[in-house]
Amino acid sequence: ASDAGAGGPLSLGDPSGAEAGSAISRLAPPSVRPSPAKPGGERPPPLGRVIGNRDFVVTVACHEEAVVVTPGGATFAWPAQGDGKDIDAALVQTISQLVARRQATVRAGEPPYRPVLRFLVHDGGRRTYHHVYPLLERLRFAMVREDVQED
């Protein structure tokens, strides 16, 4: 009589199956291998729970005369006369630096943050939005627009 299937299909000769589990985990790619147990028998939480949402939302509130960028609360107002190109450059640089600082906090093995520009267009801020949007479009971040109705 043959005992080829005595321990089940994954037993590899060990009726308890313990050896089979370790053999399979060694064959699996590192991203699928089970996490090593911590002292005391606890396993670390799955990476997805530790990392959570990787969106980094930068809000650009467009008002009639100015733009407010959060986080940070930086305000940019364009003069009625003049070109304002230095203000345009400062706005783009501020947002680029915000994202770069956040990306610098990414640890080895973690995915990078996903920058999202959220435009809040207040009443009277459409002209400002149409001025700022092309400037920030060059950064190639995801963009979302919300119109704010003020009563």
Side-chain angles (χ1 to χ4, degrees):
S2 169
D3 44 317
L10 298 177
S11 70
L12 301 175
D14 181 11
S16 69
E19 189 178 305
S22 64
I24 291 173
S25 68
R26 280 183 272 141
L27 296 174
S31 60
V32 180
R33 289 183 192 154
S35 303
K38 290 182 181 177
E42 294 180 31
R43 285 193 168 176
L47 189 59
R49 285 196 180 168
V50 173
I51 294 174
N53 185 351
R54 299 304 280 183
D55 287 354
F56 175 54
V57 179
V58 177
T59 302
V60 180
C62 299
H63 300 278
E64 188 171 350
E65 303 280 329
V67 166
V68 179
V69 177
T70 52
T75 302
F76 299 89
W78 286 265
Q81 301 295 320
D83 60 3
K85 291 201 184 291
D86 54 338
I87 297 170
D88 294 349
L91 172 66
V92 172
Q93 182 180 10
T94 298
I95 292 176
S96 296
Q97 287 175 345
L98 278 171
V99 172
R101 282 193 297 254
R102 178 56 63 101
Q103 297 293 20
T105 66
V106 174
R107 291 180 276 180
E110 290 182 349
Y113 286 97
R114 178 180 165 256
V116 178
L117 297 181
R118 179 177 171 237
F119 292 96
L120 291 179
V121 183
H122 293 269
D123 288 341
R126 281 193 182 89
R127 181 178 304 252
T128 306
Y129 167 75
H130 288 292
H131 175 79
V132 168
Y133 184 90
L135 299 172
L136 300 176
E137 188 176 32
R138 295 182 215 146
L139 296 174
R140 306 196 44 85
F141 299 147
M143 296 182 167
V144 178
R145 174 185 167 168
E146 292 180 43
D147 289 331
V148 178
Q149 301 297 322
E150 293 150 358
D151 296 324

PDB file of all heavy atoms in Angstrom, residues 22-49:
ATOM      1  N   SER A  22       5.602  25.878   5.957  1.00  0.00           N
ATOM      2  CA  SER A  22       6.840  26.639   5.838  1.00  0.00           C
ATOM      3  C   SER A  22       7.435  26.488   4.443  1.00  0.00           C
ATOM      4  O   SER A  22       8.026  27.414   3.915  1.00  0.00           O
ATOM      5  CB  SER A  22       7.838  26.217   6.913  1.00  0.00           C
ATOM      6  OG  SER A  22       8.222  24.867   6.719  1.00  0.00           O
ATOM      7  N   ALA A  23       7.269  25.306   3.819  1.00  0.00           N
ATOM      8  CA  ALA A  23       7.790  25.106   2.465  1.00  0.00           C
ATOM      9  C   ALA A  23       7.049  26.002   1.485  1.00  0.00           C
ATOM     10  O   ALA A  23       7.652  26.622   0.616  1.00  0.00           O
ATOM     11  CB  ALA A  23       7.649  23.643   2.063  1.00  0.00           C
ATOM     12  N   ILE A  24       5.762  26.113   1.634  1.00  0.00           N
ATOM     13  CA  ILE A  24       4.973  26.961   0.738  1.00  0.00           C
ATOM     14  C   ILE A  24       5.307  28.426   0.970  1.00  0.00           C
ATOM     15  O   ILE A  24       5.449  29.190   0.029  1.00  0.00           O
ATOM     16  CB  ILE A  24       3.465  26.694   0.928  1.00  0.00           C
ATOM     17  CG1 ILE A  24       3.142  25.308   0.391  1.00  0.00           C
ATOM     18  CG2 ILE A  24       2.622  27.748   0.217  1.00  0.00           C
ATOM     19  CD1 ILE A  24       1.747  24.847   0.654  1.00  0.00           C
ATOM     20  N   SER A  25       5.465  28.842   2.219  1.00  0.00           N
ATOM     21  CA  SER A  25       5.778  30.250   2.480  1.00  0.00           C
ATOM     22  C   SER A  25       7.149  30.621   1.929  1.00  0.00           C
ATOM     23  O   SER A  25       7.368  31.752   1.544  1.00  0.00           O
ATOM     24  CB  SER A  25       5.688  30.570   3.968  1.00  0.00           C
ATOM     25  OG  SER A  25       6.715  29.919   4.670  1.00  0.00           O
ATOM     26  N   ARG A  26       8.087  29.651   1.873  1.00  0.00           N
ATOM     27  CA  ARG A  26       9.388  29.949   1.293  1.00  0.00           C
ATOM     28  C   ARG A  26       9.305  30.123  -0.214  1.00  0.00           C
ATOM     29  O   ARG A  26      10.086  30.849  -0.807  1.00  0.00           O
ATOM     30  CB  ARG A  26      10.397  28.849   1.621  1.00  0.00           C
ATOM     31  CG  ARG A  26      10.972  28.987   3.017  1.00  0.00           C
ATOM     32  CD  ARG A  26      12.006  27.942   3.291  1.00  0.00           C
ATOM     33  NE  ARG A  26      11.268  26.781   3.811  1.00  0.00           N
ATOM     34  CZ  ARG A  26      11.522  25.525   3.523  1.00  0.00           C
ATOM     35  NH1 ARG A  26      12.512  25.209   2.752  1.00  0.00           N
ATOM     36  NH2 ARG A  26      10.795  24.552   4.005  1.00  0.00           N
ATOM     37  N   LEU A  27       8.349  29.465  -0.848  1.00  0.00           N
ATOM     38  CA  LEU A  27       8.185  29.578  -2.290  1.00  0.00           C
ATOM     39  C   LEU A  27       7.423  30.829  -2.690  1.00  0.00           C
ATOM     40  O   LEU A  27       7.535  31.293  -3.811  1.00  0.00           O
ATOM     41  CB  LEU A  27       7.441  28.352  -2.834  1.00  0.00           C
ATOM     42  CG  LEU A  27       8.181  27.025  -2.671  1.00  0.00           C
ATOM     43  CD1 LEU A  27       7.284  25.884  -3.112  1.00  0.00           C
ATOM     44  CD2 LEU A  27       9.470  27.022  -3.452  1.00  0.00           C
ATOM     45  N   ALA A  28       6.639  31.394  -1.780  1.00  0.00           N
ATOM     46  CA  ALA A  28       5.820  32.566  -2.097  1.00  0.00           C
ATOM     47  C   ALA A  28       6.694  33.802  -2.213  1.00  0.00           C
ATOM     48  O   ALA A  28       7.740  33.904  -1.569  1.00  0.00           O
ATOM     49  CB  ALA A  28       4.782  32.790  -0.996  1.00  0.00           C
ATOM     50  N   PRO A  29       6.298  34.749  -3.072  1.00  0.00           N
ATOM     51  CA  PRO A  29       7.054  36.001  -3.148  1.00  0.00           C
ATOM     52  C   PRO A  29       7.000  36.732  -1.807  1.00  0.00           C
ATOM     53  O   PRO A  29       6.072  36.529  -1.020  1.00  0.00           O
ATOM     54  CB  PRO A  29       6.351  36.798  -4.249  1.00  0.00           C
ATOM     55  CG  PRO A  29       5.050  36.135  -4.474  1.00  0.00           C
ATOM     56  CD  PRO A  29       5.153  34.739  -3.969  1.00  0.00           C
ATOM     57  N   PRO A  30       7.967  37.619  -1.521  1.00  0.00           N
ATOM     58  CA  PRO A  30       8.033  38.291  -0.223  1.00  0.00           C
ATOM     59  C   PRO A  30       6.764  39.070   0.114  1.00  0.00           C
ATOM     60  O   PRO A  30       6.396  39.169   1.264  1.00  0.00           O
ATOM     61  CB  PRO A  30       9.225  39.236  -0.351  1.00  0.00           C
ATOM     62  CG  PRO A  30      10.039  38.698  -1.468  1.00  0.00           C
ATOM     63  CD  PRO A  30       9.105  37.960  -2.361  1.00  0.00           C
ATOM     64  N   SER A  31       6.074  39.599  -0.884  1.00  0.00           N
ATOM     65  CA  SER A  31       4.885  40.399  -0.590  1.00  0.00           C
ATOM     66  C   SER A  31       3.722  39.539  -0.119  1.00  0.00           C
ATOM     67  O   SER A  31       2.782  40.040   0.468  1.00  0.00           O
ATOM     68  CB  SER A  31       4.460  41.192  -1.828  1.00  0.00           C
ATOM     69  OG  SER A  31       4.162  40.291  -2.884  1.00  0.00           O
ATOM     70  N   VAL A  32       3.783  38.206  -0.337  1.00  0.00           N
ATOM     71  CA  VAL A  32       2.682  37.332   0.036  1.00  0.00           C
ATOM     72  C   VAL A  32       3.020  36.508   1.271  1.00  0.00           C
ATOM     73  O   VAL A  32       2.148  35.948   1.896  1.00  0.00           O
ATOM     74  CB  VAL A  32       2.329  36.403  -1.159  1.00  0.00           C
ATOM     75  CG1 VAL A  32       1.190  35.476  -0.837  1.00  0.00           C
ATOM     76  CG2 VAL A  32       2.026  37.219  -2.398  1.00  0.00           C
ATOM     77  N   ARG A  33       4.269  36.441   1.636  1.00  0.00           N
ATOM     78  CA  ARG A  33       4.679  35.631   2.777  1.00  0.00           C
ATOM     79  C   ARG A  33       4.026  36.129   4.052  1.00  0.00           C
ATOM     80  O   ARG A  33       3.870  37.341   4.250  1.00  0.00           O
ATOM     81  CB  ARG A  33       6.198  35.679   2.952  1.00  0.00           C
ATOM     82  CG  ARG A  33       6.932  34.929   1.899  1.00  0.00           C
ATOM     83  CD  ARG A  33       8.407  34.949   2.165  1.00  0.00           C
ATOM     84  NE  ARG A  33       9.103  34.449   0.983  1.00  0.00           N
ATOM     85  CZ  ARG A  33      10.322  34.756   0.668  1.00  0.00           C
ATOM     86  NH1 ARG A  33      11.034  35.548   1.436  1.00  0.00           N
ATOM     87  NH2 ARG A  33      10.876  34.275  -0.415  1.00  0.00           N
ATOM     88  N   PRO A  34       3.678  35.216   4.950  1.00  0.00           N
ATOM     89  CA  PRO A  34       3.103  35.660   6.222  1.00  0.00           C
ATOM     90  C   PRO A  34       4.119  36.444   7.041  1.00  0.00           C
ATOM     91  O   PRO A  34       5.317  36.192   6.976  1.00  0.00           O
ATOM     92  CB  PRO A  34       2.718  34.349   6.919  1.00  0.00           C
ATOM     93  CG  PRO A  34       3.392  33.254   6.162  1.00  0.00           C
ATOM     94  CD  PRO A  34       3.766  33.788   4.817  1.00  0.00           C
ATOM     95  N   SER A  35       3.640  37.416   7.786  1.00  0.00           N
ATOM     96  CA  SER A  35       4.514  38.238   8.617  1.00  0.00           C
ATOM     97  C   SER A  35       5.030  37.419   9.779  1.00  0.00           C
ATOM     98  O   SER A  35       4.304  36.603  10.343  1.00  0.00           O
ATOM     99  CB  SER A  35       3.745  39.442   9.169  1.00  0.00           C
ATOM    100  OG  SER A  35       3.210  40.180   8.120  1.00  0.00           O
ATOM    101  N   PRO A  36       6.282  37.633  10.169  1.00  0.00           N
ATOM    102  CA  PRO A  36       6.794  36.903  11.328  1.00  0.00           C
ATOM    103  C   PRO A  36       6.075  37.365  12.583  1.00  0.00           C
ATOM    104  O   PRO A  36       5.704  38.523  12.722  1.00  0.00           O
ATOM    105  CB  PRO A  36       8.278  37.276  11.371  1.00  0.00           C
ATOM    106  CG  PRO A  36       8.378  38.545  10.601  1.00  0.00           C
ATOM    107  CD  PRO A  36       7.260  38.531   9.598  1.00  0.00           C
ATOM    108  N   ALA A  37       5.875  36.425  13.480  1.00  0.00           N
ATOM    109  CA  ALA A  37       5.169  36.743  14.715  1.00  0.00           C
ATOM    110  C   ALA A  37       6.071  37.557  15.633  1.00  0.00           C
ATOM    111  O   ALA A  37       7.281  37.351  15.695  1.00  0.00           O
ATOM    112  CB  ALA A  37       4.731  35.459  15.408  1.00  0.00           C
ATOM    113  N   LYS A  38       5.467  38.512  16.332  1.00  0.00           N
ATOM    114  CA  LYS A  38       6.195  39.288  17.333  1.00  0.00           C
ATOM    115  C   LYS A  38       6.363  38.427  18.575  1.00  0.00           C
ATOM    116  O   LYS A  38       5.636  37.445  18.767  1.00  0.00           O
ATOM    117  CB  LYS A  38       5.394  40.539  17.712  1.00  0.00           C
ATOM    118  CG  LYS A  38       5.309  41.580  16.643  1.00  0.00           C
ATOM    119  CD  LYS A  38       4.525  42.765  17.174  1.00  0.00           C
ATOM    120  CE  LYS A  38       4.368  43.842  16.146  1.00  0.00           C
ATOM    121  NZ  LYS A  38       3.550  44.944  16.621  1.00  0.00           N
ATOM    122  N   PRO A  39       7.288  38.794  19.476  1.00  0.00           N
ATOM    123  CA  PRO A  39       7.379  38.057  20.736  1.00  0.00           C
ATOM    124  C   PRO A  39       6.031  38.138  21.451  1.00  0.00           C
ATOM    125  O   PRO A  39       5.411  39.184  21.519  1.00  0.00           O
ATOM    126  CB  PRO A  39       8.469  38.796  21.518  1.00  0.00           C
ATOM    127  CG  PRO A  39       9.258  39.535  20.482  1.00  0.00           C
ATOM    128  CD  PRO A  39       8.305  39.814  19.354  1.00  0.00           C
ATOM    129  N   GLY A  40       5.573  37.013  21.916  1.00  0.00           N
ATOM    130  CA  GLY A  40       4.271  36.977  22.564  1.00  0.00           C
ATOM    131  C   GLY A  40       3.206  36.429  21.620  1.00  0.00           C
ATOM    132  O   GLY A  40       2.044  36.308  21.981  1.00  0.00           O
ATOM    133  N   GLY A  41       3.589  36.092  20.366  1.00  0.00           N
ATOM    134  CA  GLY A  41       2.676  35.458  19.440  1.00  0.00           C
ATOM    135  C   GLY A  41       1.847  36.404  18.589  1.00  0.00           C
ATOM    136  O   GLY A  41       1.075  35.964  17.763  1.00  0.00           O
ATOM    137  N   GLU A  42       1.967  37.727  18.762  1.00  0.00           N
ATOM    138  CA  GLU A  42       1.166  38.666  17.967  1.00  0.00           C
ATOM    139  C   GLU A  42       1.838  38.924  16.633  1.00  0.00           C
ATOM    140  O   GLU A  42       3.049  39.001  16.540  1.00  0.00           O
ATOM    141  CB  GLU A  42       1.031  39.999  18.696  1.00  0.00           C
ATOM    142  CG  GLU A  42       0.247  39.943  19.967  1.00  0.00           C
ATOM    143  CD  GLU A  42       0.176  41.320  20.622  1.00  0.00           C
ATOM    144  OE1 GLU A  42       0.193  42.318  19.893  1.00  0.00           O
ATOM    145  OE2 GLU A  42       0.125  41.366  21.838  1.00  0.00           O
ATOM    146  N   ARG A  43       1.010  39.085  15.604  1.00  0.00           N
ATOM    147  CA  ARG A  43       1.524  39.469  14.291  1.00  0.00           C
ATOM    148  C   ARG A  43       1.299  40.952  14.096  1.00  0.00           C
ATOM    149  O   ARG A  43       0.317  41.501  14.602  1.00  0.00           O
ATOM    150  CB  ARG A  43       0.796  38.722  13.183  1.00  0.00           C
ATOM    151  CG  ARG A  43       1.230  37.304  13.076  1.00  0.00           C
ATOM    152  CD  ARG A  43       0.727  36.711  11.806  1.00  0.00           C
ATOM    153  NE  ARG A  43       1.404  35.433  11.611  1.00  0.00           N
ATOM    154  CZ  ARG A  43       1.140  34.618  10.648  1.00  0.00           C
ATOM    155  NH1 ARG A  43       0.210  34.907   9.780  1.00  0.00           N
ATOM    156  NH2 ARG A  43       1.792  33.495  10.533  1.00  0.00           N
ATOM    157  N   PRO A  44       2.185  41.623  13.360  1.00  0.00           N
ATOM    158  CA  PRO A  44       1.964  43.045  13.093  1.00  0.00           C
ATOM    159  C   PRO A  44       0.728  43.200  12.207  1.00  0.00           C
ATOM    160  O   PRO A  44       0.369  42.294  11.469  1.00  0.00           O
ATOM    161  CB  PRO A  44       3.233  43.483  12.358  1.00  0.00           C
ATOM    162  CG  PRO A  44       3.818  42.224  11.819  1.00  0.00           C
ATOM    163  CD  PRO A  44       3.407  41.122  12.742  1.00  0.00           C
ATOM    164  N   PRO A  45       0.060  44.350  12.287  1.00  0.00           N
ATOM    165  CA  PRO A  45      -1.125  44.550  11.449  1.00  0.00           C
ATOM    166  C   PRO A  45      -0.748  44.575   9.976  1.00  0.00           C
ATOM    167  O   PRO A  45       0.395  44.869   9.628  1.00  0.00           O
ATOM    168  CB  PRO A  45      -1.660  45.910  11.898  1.00  0.00           C
ATOM    169  CG  PRO A  45      -0.510  46.588  12.537  1.00  0.00           C
ATOM    170  CD  PRO A  45       0.372  45.510  13.086  1.00  0.00           C
ATOM    171  N   PRO A  46      -1.697  44.261   9.097  1.00  0.00           N
ATOM    172  CA  PRO A  46      -1.396  44.316   7.663  1.00  0.00           C
ATOM    173  C   PRO A  46      -0.937  45.704   7.259  1.00  0.00           C
ATOM    174  O   PRO A  46      -1.380  46.709   7.816  1.00  0.00           O
ATOM    175  CB  PRO A  46      -2.733  43.978   6.997  1.00  0.00           C
ATOM    176  CG  PRO A  46      -3.566  43.367   8.051  1.00  0.00           C
ATOM    177  CD  PRO A  46      -3.059  43.865   9.365  1.00  0.00           C
ATOM    178  N   LEU A  47      -0.068  45.761   6.267  1.00  0.00           N
ATOM    179  CA  LEU A  47       0.507  47.026   5.832  1.00  0.00           C
ATOM    180  C   LEU A  47      -0.572  48.012   5.396  1.00  0.00           C
ATOM    181  O   LEU A  47      -0.462  49.207   5.634  1.00  0.00           O
ATOM    182  CB  LEU A  47       1.502  46.792   4.697  1.00  0.00           C
ATOM    183  CG  LEU A  47       2.337  47.980   4.261  1.00  0.00           C
ATOM    184  CD1 LEU A  47       3.153  48.510   5.434  1.00  0.00           C
ATOM    185  CD2 LEU A  47       3.257  47.606   3.124  1.00  0.00           C
ATOM    186  N   GLY A  48      -1.643  47.522   4.788  1.00  0.00           N
ATOM    187  CA  GLY A  48      -2.738  48.391   4.360  1.00  0.00           C
ATOM    188  C   GLY A  48      -3.379  49.140   5.512  1.00  0.00           C
ATOM    189  O   GLY A  48      -3.776  50.293   5.390  1.00  0.00           O
ATOM    190  N   ARG A  49      -3.481  48.506   6.653  1.00  0.00           N
ATOM    191  CA  ARG A  49      -4.064  49.181   7.819  1.00  0.00           C
ATOM    192  C   ARG A  49      -3.105  50.188   8.429  1.00  0.00           C
ATOM    193  O   ARG A  49      -3.516  51.203   8.963  1.00  0.00           O
ATOM    194  CB  ARG A  49      -4.464  48.162   8.876  1.00  0.00           C
ATOM    195  CG  ARG A  49      -5.710  47.424   8.511  1.00  0.00           C
ATOM    196  CD  ARG A  49      -6.276  46.749   9.709  1.00  0.00           C
ATOM    197  NE  ARG A  49      -7.472  46.040   9.324  1.00  0.00           N
ATOM    198  CZ  ARG A  49      -8.062  45.175  10.076  1.00  0.00           C
ATOM    199  NH1 ARG A  49      -7.568  44.883  11.274  1.00  0.00           N
ATOM    200  NH2 ARG A  49      -9.150  44.570   9.658  1.00  0.00           N
TER     201      ARG A  49
END
